[in-house]
Amino acid sequence: MAPVRNSRVFFNSIPEGYPVLGETLVVDHAKTIDLETVSLEGGKILVKTVAISIDPFLRLHMSRSGRHHGTAYHLGEPIYNFQVVKVLRSGSELFRPGQHLYGVGDFVEYQVLSDLSKWTALPEREGIPWSVYLGAAGMPGKTAYFGWKVGADAKKGETIYVSTAAGAVGSMVVQLAKAAGLKVIASAGQEAKLEFLRELGADVVFNYKTTDLANVLEEHGPLDICWDHVGGDTLATVISNMKDFGRILVMGFTAAYNAPSASVTNLGLVLVKRLTLRGIAVGDHEAQCAEEFYAAVPAKLAKGELKYKETVVRSLDEVPQLFIDVQKGNNTGKAVVVLDD
Amino acid sequence: MAPVRNSRVFFNSIPEGYPVLGETLVVDHAKTIDLETVSLEGGKILVKTVAISIDPFLRLHMSRSGRHHGTAYHLGEPIYNFQVVKVLRSGSELFRPGQHLYGVGDFVEYQVLSDLSKWTALPEREGIPWSVYLGAAGMPGKTAYFGWKVGADAKKGETIYVSTAAGAVGSMVVQLAKAAGLKVIASAGQEAKLEFLRELGADVVFNYKTTDLANVLEEHGPLDICWDHVGGDTLATVISNMKDFGRILVMGFTAAYNAPSASVTNLGLVLVKRLTLRGIAVGDHEAQCAEEFYAAVPAKLAKGELKYKETVVRSLDEVPQLFIDVQKGNNTGKAVVVLDD
C-alpha cells in the first residue's frame, strides 16, 4: 500500500492576545506515512487518531513563560492534547489492534507511539461516541467529578455559583450540584447555552454578558461554593459574595489567558470570611478517583441520566477556527475534532 | 469606700488611613465606680482589668462597613479586645473572687460583666506573667498553634516563609516550623526584631524594608508554605514563588488595613500551581484545639523552651500611641497594656 497523507496542526507563532487565524496555528498536509511498513521496533504502536479535545486551557501552552500541567508548545511542531486513538498495528504486548486508547498525543492523523506508559485502554464504550471520552466521560468530566469530590465539601441546601456553566466541565458540575441538593446559580454567554442550563435544572440562569454578576449574587447569594473558570473581576465579585467558610474552586482563569493581567483587590476577605481558594487540576487526582469515575459516569451518560453537549468538527483544517471559538466562548458544549467514528 | 476613678479608652472618630493620635482614640478619666456597692444583681461579677491585648487586626473594627470576628467599634463607646481580668466581687456561682478570667472586654479599669458565657477561667499561671496569656499563651499563640495544626500540612524538609515573623504570632510560627524540621525564611522591619528571629533559629532572616522579598525567595525558595500577615504585593510575590501544591495561610492582610485596596494580579497561578489559599481565624478552632494548646504551651514558655517578647505599657493613657505603633510595626513582640500584676 502506498503512503497516505498524514496532516498535522502545528504551532506557528506565539499570540499576544487571542490566537489569530492563519498565524497562530497552521495546518500542514505535506507529510505522508506508510501504514504497512512504518517501523514499530522497540515496542511501538501505530495508531489512527479518532478524536481530539480542544480546551480553553490550551491557550496556556502558547506563551513563552507559561506552564500548565507540563510544557509549552514548540514553534514549528504539532500541538497536542487529550485524544482517543485506535490501534492499527502493535509492536507491543501492552495493546492490540482495534483497541481504543486515551492519552495526550499530537494533532495528527496517524502517530507512532513509543512511550506507552502515558496511554490507557478505554473501557468498552457504553453506547456513547468515542468523542465523549474526551468530554463528559473524559478529562472535563473528570475535572468536574474529581474537583467536586476533593474540593467542594458540599452540603445539601448550600448555594453554588458555576461560571461558564454550559461548558463540558461546568455542565457536569451543575448536574453534580443539583444531585447533591444544592441551589445552583449558573451563567453562560449565549441563549442556547442558557437553555441547556435550564434543561440541567439550574435554579438561577443568567447571561453574564448582559446581566451583572454582582446583582445576581446580591439577589440569589451569598455563596457557599463557587466553581470558577474565569478569575479576575469575576473572582473578585465572587469573593465579595461568599459566606463565611466558603470554598472557591479555582478551575480556570480565562480572564488572564488572553490579557496581560487580571487584578483582584479584595483578597483580604479571604481572611475576614475564612475562605479557601484552591486550584485543582484533574491529573493530580487520577489515581485516587478515576476508577470510581469510569464505574459511574459513562453508563449514566449513555442512559441520559447525565447530559452533555458537543461541538464537533470533522477535519484538522477546522481546528484553528475552533481553537479561537473555544477561547472566545463561541462553542456550545465540548469542542472536539472527530477524525474516525 | 468612696468611688474610684474608672478610666476608659473610647472610639472617637473613624480614621481614613492610620489612626491619628488625639483623634481616633480618646482616653476619658471622668467616670467613677464604687467597687463595694455597685450592683451585681442577676448573676453579675465585678472585675479589675489586669492586661489588655493590642493587635493589628483591631484596625478592622474601625471602619463603617468592616467586619471581623463580629462587629465594628461604636463611636463614643469604649473599644474592646481580648484581656485578662481579676474577679473582685462575684454575684455568680460561676466565678469566685481572686480568679483570673480570659475574654473580650472593654478598655476600662473596672467592669461589671453580665454575659459570663464568653469568659473562661485561666489555669494557674505557670511562672509567666498574666499578660502572656494575651500573647504567646493567648490569642496570638493560639492563632499560630491552631493555624499550624489545621492549615500548614507541613512535612520535614519543606521551606516556609513567615512575614512579620517577629510578632506574637509569627515568632511562635517560626518556632513551630523549626521544631517540625522546616527551613524557615523570616522577615521583620527592625534590627531588634531580626536579632530575635536569629535567636529563634530562623534559617534566613531579612529586613523587608531594605531587602527585596522577590530576590530573597528567588535565592532561598521556592516555598512549600507561606504564613502571611501582609497580603497585597507581598502575597503576589509569594504566589509567584510557591512550589506546586503549596499552602498559603492568609493570617492577616495589613496591606489593606490602612489603604483603600491591595491588588493581586497573579492569582491565575493558584490554578497553574494548584495552590491553596486559606483564611484561618483562631476563634473557629477553639473547641478543636484549645485543650491541647493549654496543656502544651504555657509550661514550655515558663521553661524557656518556647520564647516570646512583649512591648508593655502600664496606663490606658498610653494606649492610643501603642495602637498606632502596632499598625506601623514599631513594637517588638506582643503589645499589651498591663494595669495590674
Side-chain angles (χ1 to χ4, degrees):
Chain A
M1 204 166 113
V4 297
R5 191 191 66 177
N6 192 11
S7 302
R8 61 180 190 151
V9 181
F10 70 89
F11 186 38
N12 188 57
S13 73
I14 296 169
E16 290 302 316
Y18 283 103
V20 178
L21 198 63
E23 288 185 15
T24 308
L25 297 177
V26 172
V27 187
D28 169 24
H29 299 295
K31 290 206 187 299
T32 60
I33 185 169
D34 189 318
L35 301 177
E36 291 185 357
T37 63
V38 63
S39 167
L40 302 179
E41 260 177 53
K44 295 174 186 166
I45 62 175
L46 171 68
V47 301
K48 181 176 199 304
T49 306
V50 173
I52 314 177
S53 177
I54 298 178
D55 299 293
F57 72 84
L58 296 184
R59 178 63 180 78
L60 293 173
H61 292 313
M62 291 185 161
S63 71
R64 280 183 186 78
S65 59
R67 69 195 184 95
H68 186 79
H69 311 308
T71 51
Y73 288 153
H74 288 98
L75 289 168
E77 294 187 14
I79 64 171
Y80 58 81
N81 197 21
F82 294 95
Q83 56 189 247
V84 175
V85 299
K86 183 170 69 178
V87 181
L88 298 183
R89 289 170 46 214
S90 178
S92 162
E93 292 184 349
L94 293 173
F95 301 119
R96 62 180 190 279
Q99 273 191 308
H100 284 76
L101 312 184
Y102 176 78
V104 173
D106 289 342
F107 278 66
V108 297
E109 292 180 286
Y110 301 95
Q111 301 168 74
V112 173
L113 306 176
S114 52
D115 184 359
L116 301 184
S117 68
K118 295 181 176 171
W119 294 82
T120 54
L122 285 169
E124 291 196 25
R125 62 171 157 180
E126 313 229 16
I128 49 177
W130 286 114
S131 59
V132 179
Y133 285 89
L134 298 172
M139 195 275 285
K142 286 179 180 175
T143 299
Y145 197 89
F146 297 0
W148 185 259
K149 196 172 165 73
V150 304
D153 192 21
K155 286 167 276 293
K156 192 175 173 178
E158 288 190 331
T159 300
I160 185 174
Y161 168 55
V162 185
S163 67
T164 59
V169 178
S171 59
M172 183 69 84
V173 173
V174 167
Q175 294 178 80
L176 292 171
K178 284 312 299 175
L182 274 73
K183 172 179 166 182
V184 176
I185 304 170
S187 65
Q190 291 176 353
E191 183 49 43
K193 296 181 183 184
L194 300 180
E195 190 50 42
F196 181 41
L197 292 174
R198 289 183 201 105
E199 282 172 33
L200 298 181
D203 300 277
V204 179
V205 170
F206 70 100
N207 186 331
Y208 70 88
K209 291 179 179 170
T210 58
T211 306
D212 188 41
L213 174 62
N215 292 342
V216 174
L217 296 186
E218 192 149 320
E219 184 178 346
H220 299 285
L223 306 171
D224 299 281
I225 310 175
C226 174
W227 184 291
D228 184 44
H229 294 114
V230 179
D233 291 344
T234 296
L235 183 54
T237 302
V238 161
I239 288 173
S240 291
N241 286 281
M242 293 300 292
K243 287 187 201 167
D244 286 355
F245 309 111
R247 288 81 67 196
I248 300 176
L249 288 82
V250 181
M251 307 301 294
F253 220 89
T254 53
Y257 287 1
N258 297 289
S261 74
S263 161
V264 173
T265 60
N266 59 352
L267 266 188
L269 293 176
V270 170
L271 173 59
V272 175
K273 301 184 180 184
R274 290 87 97 199
L275 306 178
T276 299
L277 272 81
R278 181 171 172 188
I280 298 177
V282 61
D284 302 324
H285 307 282
E286 185 78 20
Q288 180 194 343
C289 307
E291 194 175 342
E292 179 185 326
F293 174 85
Y294 281 122
V297 172
K300 286 189 181 182
L301 289 165
K303 287 181 206 156
E305 293 171 16
L306 288 172
K307 299 181 199 320
Y308 66 92
K309 268 207 178 3
E310 288 184 324
T311 293
V312 178
V313 299
R314 297 192 166 269
S315 154
L316 291 179
D317 290 322
E318 297 182 70
V319 165
Q321 181 61 54
L322 184 54
F323 196 102
I324 295 168
D325 288 345
V326 165
Q327 290 300 313
K328 297 187 174 176
N330 293 334
N331 61 307
T332 305
K334 182 73 200 80
V336 282
V337 50
V338 173
L339 301 179
D340 186 273
D341 283 317
Chain B
M1 203 166 112
V4 297
R5 191 191 66 177
N6 192 11
S7 301
R8 60 180 191 150
V9 181
F10 70 89
F11 186 37
N12 188 57
S13 72
I14 296 168
E16 290 301 318
Y18 283 104
V20 178
L21 199 62
E23 288 185 14
T24 308
L25 296 177
V26 171
V27 186
D28 170 23
H29 299 296
K31 290 208 188 300
T32 62
I33 185 170
D34 189 320
L35 301 176
E36 291 185 356
T37 64
V38 64
S39 167
L40 302 178
E41 260 177 52
K44 295 173 185 166
I45 63 174
L46 171 68
V47 301
K48 181 177 198 305
T49 307
V50 173
I52 315 177
S53 177
I54 298 178
D55 299 293
F57 72 84
L58 297 184
R59 178 64 181 78
L60 293 173
H61 292 314
M62 292 186 160
S63 71
R64 280 182 185 79
S65 61
R67 69 195 184 93
H68 186 76
H69 310 313
T71 52
Y73 288 152
H74 289 98
L75 289 169
E77 295 185 16
I79 64 170
Y80 58 81
N81 197 21
F82 294 96
Q83 55 189 245
V84 176
V85 300
K86 182 170 72 178
V87 181
L88 298 183
R89 289 170 47 214
S90 178
S92 162
E93 292 184 348
L94 293 173
F95 302 119
R96 60 177 193 281
Q99 272 191 308
H100 283 76
L101 311 184
Y102 176 79
V104 173
D106 289 343
F107 279 64
V108 296
E109 291 180 286
Y110 301 96
Q111 302 169 73
V112 174
L113 305 176
S114 52
D115 185 0
L116 302 184
S117 68
K118 295 181 176 171
W119 293 82
T120 55
L122 286 170
E124 291 195 25
R125 60 172 159 178
E126 315 229 15
I128 48 176
W130 286 114
S131 60
V132 180
Y133 284 90
L134 299 172
M139 195 274 285
K142 286 178 181 175
T143 300
Y145 197 89
F146 297 0
W148 184 260
K149 197 173 163 71
V150 304
D153 193 22
K155 289 167 273 297
K156 192 176 173 177
E158 288 190 330
T159 300
I160 185 174
Y161 168 55
V162 185
S163 66
T164 60
V169 178
S171 59
M172 183 68 84
V173 174
V174 167
Q175 294 177 80
L176 292 170
K178 283 312 300 176
L182 275 71
K183 172 179 167 184
V184 176
I185 304 171
S187 65
Q190 291 175 353
E191 182 49 42
K193 297 182 182 184
L194 301 180
E195 189 50 41
F196 181 41
L197 292 173
R198 289 183 201 106
E199 282 172 33
L200 298 181
D203 300 278
V204 179
V205 170
F206 71 99
N207 186 331
Y208 70 88
K209 292 177 179 170
T210 58
T211 306
D212 188 42
L213 173 63
N215 291 343
V216 173
L217 296 185
E218 192 149 320
E219 184 178 349
H220 300 284
L223 305 171
D224 299 282
I225 309 175
C226 174
W227 185 290
D228 183 44
H229 295 114
V230 179
D233 291 345
T234 296
L235 183 55
T237 302
V238 162
I239 288 173
S240 292
N241 285 281
M242 293 300 292
K243 287 187 201 166
D244 285 356
F245 308 111
R247 288 81 68 197
I248 300 176
L249 288 82
V250 180
M251 306 301 293
F253 220 89
T254 54
Y257 288 1
N258 297 289
S261 74
S263 161
V264 173
T265 59
N266 59 351
L267 268 188
L269 293 176
V270 170
L271 172 60
V272 176
K273 300 184 181 184
R274 290 88 97 199
L275 305 179
T276 300
L277 273 80
R278 182 170 173 189
I280 298 177
V282 60
D284 303 324
H285 307 283
E286 186 79 22
Q288 180 194 343
C289 307
E291 194 174 342
E292 178 184 327
F293 174 84
Y294 280 122
V297 171
K300 286 190 180 181
L301 290 164
K303 288 181 206 156
E305 293 171 15
L306 287 172
K307 299 182 199 317
Y308 67 93
K309 267 206 177 7
E310 288 185 327
T311 292
V312 178
V313 297
R314 295 191 169 270
S315 155
L316 291 179
D317 290 321
E318 296 182 71
V319 165
Q321 181 61 55
L322 184 54
F323 197 101
I324 295 168
D325 288 345
V326 166
Q327 289 301 312
K328 297 186 174 174
N330 292 334
N331 60 307
T332 305
K334 182 72 200 81
V336 283
V337 49
V338 173
L339 302 178
D340 187 275
D341 281 322

